[in-house]
Amino acid sequence: MSSSPPSEPGPLLAYLDGQTWDYDAYEQEIKARKRQDAIQDGELILPAHERGRLVTAHVPVIYGCNHVCTFCIIPYRRGRERSRRLGEIVAEVRSLVEQGVKEVTLLGQIVDRYGYDVPDGPKLPDLLRTVHEVEGLERIRFLTSHPNYMTDELLRTVADLPKVMEHIEVPVQAGNDEVLRRMRRGYTADDYRRLVERIRETIPNVSVVTDIIVGFPGETEAQFMDTYNLLAELKLDKAHVACFSPRPHTVAARWEDDVPWPEKERRRRMIDDLQREIMAEINRRYVDQTVEVLVEDLHKGKWRGRTRTNKLVFFEDPRDRRGELVPVRITWAGPYSMQGVPADVPPDVALRVDETLPVVAG
């Protein structure tokens, strides 16, 4: 459960300040997700002047999708899978690094299927190893994965390469086997359980993120509760939750959308509330730890960046820390963000840091 607010005036004000920043972080995450999806779908191409100011950048590596889930419009809009040439991707990454980018995220609707459309061509582990050699690049991420294509080789590659972050985004979409069958996902809830176990065994300190759709056509209350209980059991680092909405030209659009919208919203809120508690519990473990943060920009007077496990961190420092890897001691943690103080402060640098911020999460 979340910790209760402190009763003393000073710590209480600091606590409320932390809550304000955490809510702001939640809104930022929603905007970032929409932007990421737009880039992945090919709907957003960043102008050159904006790319030149970025610390992190997204690089599409495979377009389209062959999987044809019943709710997804990507195969209709983007066609079949088409992997970019490895050399073309590496050249783009090198160009971004020359412009100041420190971290790249390799994108694909099912990024694990990179190279599957090219006979005897390089696969995602080969791409990761090649991009890892780009001089000046500090971090590599990739998304979105699919449970059926997360091979042992891919997981070992993530574990072996220091520049590849221990962060996996692999949607389950539902925790009920009949709903998964109607979604045409190609795995069961137990398959997903075993995958998460394998990920955690192979990659130490990994964070695992999932996607959930609630209110899929025909989803009963009992089937929804299977999803809820799966998330309660697995305690994943984040769950992106969406209410089902029929998309033109998809198979599911032909079916009766029989779960009323208020009921969809109720289910979404239930999972959001559950996940908020899980995230607070996970993030609480970071308090008093020093973590590596890649600083992206200055936000409302505080530096903003992310840990290797993609946790959002804010801290104050009068120095220009943009684009740096900064060791930060975490002093406060909420479900959506954390706050701390840089651990590399020389004696002559004064920090405006409120040390009364309580060492609690939630």
Side-chain angles (χ1 to χ4, degrees), residues 158-231:
V158 174
D160 291 344
L161 297 179
K163 291 183 182 179
V164 180
M165 300 297 96
E166 46 269 42
H167 176 75
I168 301 292
E169 299 209 10
V170 56
V172 64
Q173 302 297 5
N176 174 269
D177 290 349
E178 174 59 22
V179 175
L180 288 170
R181 186 192 66 79
R182 288 169 57 79
M183 288 179 168
R184 202 181 290 164
R185 292 294 289 174
Y187 54 82
T188 66
D190 278 344
D191 290 335
Y192 191 83
R193 285 184 175 92
R194 286 189 289 269
L195 172 61
V196 171
E197 181 181 4
R198 191 157 48 93
I199 291 170
R200 287 170 169 167
E201 287 178 350
T202 306
I203 308 170
N205 304 312
V206 68
S207 63
V208 182
V209 175
T210 197
D211 290 358
I212 297 291
I213 296 174
V214 297
F216 193 73
E219 182 186 66
T220 66
E221 175 69 12
Q223 290 171 335
F224 162 72
M225 287 306 299
D226 285 343
T227 300
Y228 183 94
N229 292 331
L230 180 67
L231 291 177

Side-chain angles (χ1 to χ4, degrees), residues 57-290:
H58 294 90
V59 178
V61 301
I62 179 170
Y63 299 108
C65 184
N66 291 359
H67 206 71
V68 197
C69 298
T70 57
F71 55 82
C72 184
I73 197 174
I74 293 300
Y76 176 83
R77 292 174 58 185
R78 302 301 173 195
R80 297 184 64 80
E81 291 172 347
R82 304 174 312 283
S83 298
R84 296 177 64 189
R85 290 186 300 107
L86 186 147
E88 177 185 337
I89 296 168
V90 174
E92 180 173 348
V93 172
R94 286 201 182 102
S95 174
L96 289 167
V97 171
E98 290 172 359
Q99 298 175 58
V101 166
K102 302 294 184 182
E103 174 186 292
V104 295
T105 300
L106 308 180
L107 289 179
Q109 187 67 21
I110 302 180
V111 70
D112 314 337
R113 284 186 56 84
Y114 173 78
Y116 277 55
D117 56 320
V118 181
D120 301 319
K123 300 298 189 290
L124 183 59
D126 304 302
L127 176 60
L128 289 172
R129 285 189 284 266
T130 304
V131 173
H132 190 272
E133 297 302 314
V134 174
E135 188 174 348
L137 182 65
E138 300 285 356
R139 290 181 169 187
I140 304 166
R141 303 185 189 274
F142 61 92
L143 55 92
T144 302
S145 293
H146 188 288
N148 288 358
Y149 304 104
M150 293 220 73
T151 64
D152 288 340
E153 181 190 6
L154 175 56
L155 295 179
R156 286 194 300 267
T157 301
V158 174
D160 291 344
L161 297 179
K163 291 183 182 179
V164 180
M165 300 297 96
E166 46 269 42
H167 176 75
I168 301 292
E169 299 209 10
V170 56
V172 64
Q173 302 297 5
N176 174 269
D177 290 349
E178 174 59 22
V179 175
L180 288 170
R181 186 192 66 79
R182 288 169 57 79
M183 288 179 168
R184 202 181 290 164
R185 292 294 289 174
Y187 54 82
T188 66
D190 278 344
D191 290 335
Y192 191 83
R193 285 184 175 92
R194 286 189 289 269
L195 172 61
V196 171
E197 181 181 4
R198 191 157 48 93
I199 291 170
R200 287 170 169 167
E201 287 178 350
T202 306
I203 308 170
N205 304 312
V206 68
S207 63
V208 182
V209 175
T210 197
D211 290 358
I212 297 291
I213 296 174
V214 297
F216 193 73
E219 182 186 66
T220 66
E221 175 69 12
Q223 290 171 335
F224 162 72
M225 287 306 299
D226 285 343
T227 300
Y228 183 94
N229 292 331
L230 180 67
L231 291 177
E233 170 193 340
L234 294 179
K235 295 185 182 297
L236 303 178
D237 289 73
K238 186 180 295 184
H240 302 290
V241 189
C243 298
F244 172 79
S245 178
R247 296 291 186 263
H249 310 290
T250 62
V251 174
R254 307 172 198 163
W255 300 337
E256 182 184 359
D257 187 11
D258 55 356
V259 181
W261 191 260
E263 175 61 17
K264 292 178 184 178
E265 277 293 310
R266 184 189 70 86
R267 296 177 185 182
R268 181 191 64 78
R269 286 194 300 270
M270 279 186 64
I271 289 184
D272 273 346
D273 291 344
L274 168 68
Q275 197 61 38
R276 188 180 303 113
E277 296 296 327
I278 293 171
M279 291 161 63
E281 177 186 338
I282 291 172
N283 288 354
R284 186 180 297 117
R285 302 169 193 162
Y286 285 85
V287 172
D288 283 337
Q289 291 188 30
T290 297

Side-chain angles (χ1 to χ4, degrees), residues 14-15 18-19 21-22 287 329-335 337-340 357-362:
Y15 176 90
Q19 294 289 312
W21 278 89
D22 203 47
V287 172
R329 179 174 63 84
I330 301 303
T331 59
W332 186 90
S337 67
M338 299 185 286
Q339 298 194 40
L357 202 60
V359 185
V360 294

